[in-house]
Each structure stands twice: as structure tokens, then as C-alpha cells.
Amino acid sequence: LEERGLTESTFVIFTSDHGSMLFDHGIDDEKHAFLDASWRVPLIMRYPGHLPSNVTRTFAVVGPDITATILGAAGALYLPPSGSVANDSMAANTSFYMSGFDLAAPLIEDENAPSPRSVAVGVEFRGFALATEQWKIAFFPVEGEGRLFNRISDPQERVNLWSDEQMRATRDALLIALMRWRTRQDDLQYQAVRWTGGGEVGVRAQNATFFLEGIAAEVDLQTDAYFL
């Protein structure tokens, strides 16, 4: 970049899709456990003249946030007016259905601005997980098993509180927030564009989809889980 004179005009993002357990918790190389050793990875962003430098944040990030952030920096992230209903032109715009937050935009406006994401969430082939500043819950429906950790008092995730009756209300509230989010992970653009000219059920489904934005489930999740 320096040789081509692009250093000051290039947005660089460095991260990874997952880490490695390396026998933490006695696990060799399992990346689907939603434990910090494999799930929590660094994210470094550099955007000279736009993002503050030498600043460390601990906010949560998920994969779609990176896509939305890149689109936002390129001026290609479509942000519909609040309360708007999708129409055909919106349906053709992929970013209307993006399920990620633009993480850079708030920092460009104000380097002290809070992140739009306060709750991390993830899906692997056999389970789902959610993490707030204090709690992490993971649920594996096939096995009928779960994990609940207090991330403040138990940062090494050694004490699974899933079956602790005193934590039942917290566990159930987090699980409901997680399942509510999971059931809303539909391909909204596909539904809006493809469900045209069909029968009565297809028409009803398309009309319902027009009231949804891809980010809606993420916005609701921040409220559903953050204050637990």
C-alpha cells in the first residue's frame, strides 16, 4: 500500500473467523463449542482520517457487521428511513436486508460513540450462542444441552450454570432472546423478490416480508438480551 501511495486512503480490517481451543477445557481443536478460546477473536480496523487511532474497544462484533461496515465505508449501505416499508426498489437493494451493523460510522461521527452492537450472537452447524457483557449462553438442540457462564465472575468459563435453579430465570430469558433471534434468520431478500405472482400464501408472505428489515432482528436482540 505504501509503495502505491494507498496507505492513507485504504480501509484495512484484520480479523479471523474463529480461534483454536488448543486443549483449553480439555478440547483439542473444536471450533463449535462457543467458548472464548475459539469464538472470541480480535478485530483491528485502520481507516486514516476517519477512525480514531490507538483506541481499544471491547464491543461485540459478528460476521455480518464486517460486511455492513465495508459497505458503509464504500457508501453502498442502504439505510431506509425509520419506520419505512420496503418496496420493489428496496427489495432489489441487498443492503436493505443486511443483518449487520456498520461499526465504523458511529466512530467516524464521534470517536467516543458507543457501538450499535452490545450483544454478540452466533450460529454453528449444531448450536447457537449469545453473549452480553455479563452472560454467555450456548444451546445445542440436537443434544438437548446448554451452557451458561457468568463472564464477569467466571471469565475462564469453568462453572456451567445451565442447571443451577437459582439461575433459571436468567437462563430462560437469555434462551428466549436467542431463540427469538434465531427464528428470524430468513433470507428476506429472496422472499421479497421471489414470492411474487404466487398463490394466496405467497402473497401474504411477501406482504409480511415488506415490513421487515434485515437489521430488525439484530436491533431487537440488543434490547432483549442486553439488560439481563
Side-chain angles (χ1 to χ4, degrees), residues 71 76-80 90 92-99 189 214:
L71 288 173
L77 184 63
Y78 179 78
L79 298 176
M90 293 180 186
N93 191 315
T94 301
S95 63
F96 180 83
Y97 299 100
M98 284 295 302
S99 59
Q189 185 183 31

Side-chain angles (χ1 to χ4, degrees), residues 7-182:
T7 303
E8 299 303 310
S9 60
T10 301
F11 188 7
V12 177
I13 299 176
F14 175 84
T15 189
S16 175
D17 58 340
H18 63 84
S20 180
M21 294 303 297
L22 294 178
F23 294 98
D24 193 6
H25 292 266
I27 301 174
D28 180 8
D29 194 25
E30 170 61 67
K31 66 179 182 180
H32 304 112
F34 295 110
L35 295 166
D36 270 8
S38 63
W39 195 27
R40 190 176 184 183
V41 296
L43 170 70
I44 301 173
M45 298 192 297
R46 182 181 186 274
Y47 197 12
H50 298 277
L51 293 178
S53 60
N54 300 316
V55 174
T56 300
R57 299 293 181 92
T58 58
F59 57 71
V61 178
V62 299
D65 293 339
I66 298 175
T67 304
T69 300
I70 294 172
L71 288 173
L77 184 63
Y78 179 78
L79 298 176
S82 177
S84 63
V85 177
N87 53 40
D88 289 341
S89 63
M90 293 180 186
N93 191 315
T94 301
S95 63
F96 180 83
Y97 299 100
M98 284 295 302
S99 59
F101 290 107
D102 181 347
L103 301 176
L107 297 177
I108 292 174
E109 294 292 330
D110 177 3
E111 65 179 48
N112 297 312
S115 170
R117 180 176 294 282
S118 55
V119 179
V121 67
V123 176
E124 296 288 0
F125 75 97
R126 62 184 180 89
F128 330 112
L130 174 156
T132 69
E133 184 177 359
Q134 181 172 5
W135 301 105
K136 179 192 286 184
I137 188 170
F139 180 54
F140 305 93
V142 174
E143 295 86 349
E145 299 175 353
R147 300 191 184 103
L148 175 65
F149 298 110
N150 187 322
R151 302 182 64 236
I152 295 177
S153 63
D154 180 27
Q156 300 301 316
E157 301 177 326
R158 301 298 180 186
V159 182
N160 184 2
L161 301 171
W162 180 268
S163 299
D164 188 330
E165 280 300 314
Q166 293 183 334
M167 302 307 304
R168 183 173 182 177
T170 298
R171 180 200 67 190
D172 290 352
L174 288 168
L175 187 59
I176 289 172
L178 177 59
M179 292 297 99
R180 183 185 182 207
W181 172 87
R182 182 65 183 90

